[in-house]
Amino acid sequence: MRSLHASKCSLYWITVFLVVIFDVNNVTALVWNGAGTDTRWALQCDFIGRDMKNQLSTGDQCGPLCKANPPCSHFTWTNFQGGTCWMKSGLVSEFDSVSKTTDGAVCGFLKSTTSVPSNAWNDAGSLKWALNCDFMGRDLAAVASAPETCGPACQSNPQCSHFVWTNYQGGTCWLKKGGASECDAIVKLDSGAVCGFMKY
């Protein structure tokens, strides 16, 4: 029997899939390359929004640039200004890409951004949290804290919707904004990471 987590995430991806199917700009199926590697990429596609930075580069340098610049998880390369790599953050898959037949566009994502198992989540009143996970991007503030005070710090900030705690500089709580759920979390096995989000 599928878990509620799997059902919610599957419903999200089914909705995205249907949007892509019925979007007239995406009638051409993309051919994804990079099987057996940690990067998947395709020609004539784009990931819209979530830009974190851009850098002049050749097309084949864009994937490695993304890997070298966390929290980059996906990218789009275009021939803008002779070649520009647009590095982006957040959890994505092939279904988030859209057709872009101009500017020599190439898009791709890092396969190492794996999702957190549903049984890893703990309920704590108005928030849920898990060990060994991260939410990429959308940083609001970083404050020194112990892991057990990171969630309450987010709860006390009206702009905070989710958070990540790591052992950076002896303990740092990364408050984040813009909303998040279990589906947005990725596995992070270093830094003693703890992540969580507000349920309401």
Side-chain angles (χ1 to χ4, degrees):
M1 183 174 179
R2 302 181 68 187
S3 69
L4 180 59
H5 166 79
S7 299
K8 285 193 295 186
C9 291
S10 296
L11 180 60
Y12 170 79
W13 290 119
I14 289 168
T15 303
V16 171
F17 180 68
L18 291 173
V19 168
V20 171
I21 286 178
F22 291 108
D23 185 341
V24 294
N25 293 321
N26 291 283
V27 292
T28 304
L30 297 175
V31 177
W32 289 92
N33 305 281
T37 72
D38 61 359
T39 306
R40 300 273 292 176
W41 61 275
L43 300 174
Q44 298 187 333
C45 62
D46 188 12
F47 288 113
I48 296 173
R50 299 187 183 179
D51 292 354
M52 51 172 272
K53 66 185 295 187
N54 63 76
Q55 184 174 325
L56 296 179
S57 78
T58 60
D60 61 346
Q61 293 174 328
C62 198
L65 277 173
C66 183
K67 284 190 282 187
N69 286 275
C72 182
S73 59
H74 57 297
F75 57 88
T76 298
W77 182 90
T78 69
N79 58 22
F80 178 70
Q81 293 188 335
T84 301
C85 180
W86 308 89
M87 289 168 268
K88 300 162 181 281
S89 64
L91 193 63
V92 296
S93 74
E94 293 100 327
F95 298 119
D96 295 294
S97 64
V98 297
S99 176
K100 182 176 176 65
T101 57
T102 59
D103 304 322
V106 177
C107 74
F109 63 94
L110 306 183
K111 293 197 297 181
S112 57
T113 52
T114 55
S115 60
V116 177
S118 60
N119 62 2
W121 293 96
N122 301 279
D123 260 301
S126 63
L127 63 85
K128 292 187 82 168
W129 64 275
L131 298 173
N132 301 317
C133 61
D134 191 8
F135 290 114
M136 302 179 84
R138 301 184 191 175
D139 290 349
L140 172 65
V143 295
S145 85
E148 62 271 15
T149 60
C150 192
C154 184
Q155 287 174 307
S156 67
N157 187 321
Q159 290 182 282
C160 183
S161 57
H162 54 301
F163 60 90
V164 175
W165 183 92
T166 70
N167 58 21
Y168 177 71
Q169 293 188 339
T172 301
C173 180
W174 309 88
L175 304 180
K176 295 169 179 280
K177 61 185 178 181
S181 72
E182 296 157 347
C183 302
D184 300 299
I186 61 168
V187 171
K188 182 177 177 65
L189 297 176
D190 59 358
S191 309
V194 178
C195 75
F197 62 93
M198 302 298 111
K199 294 192 295 183
Y200 45 80

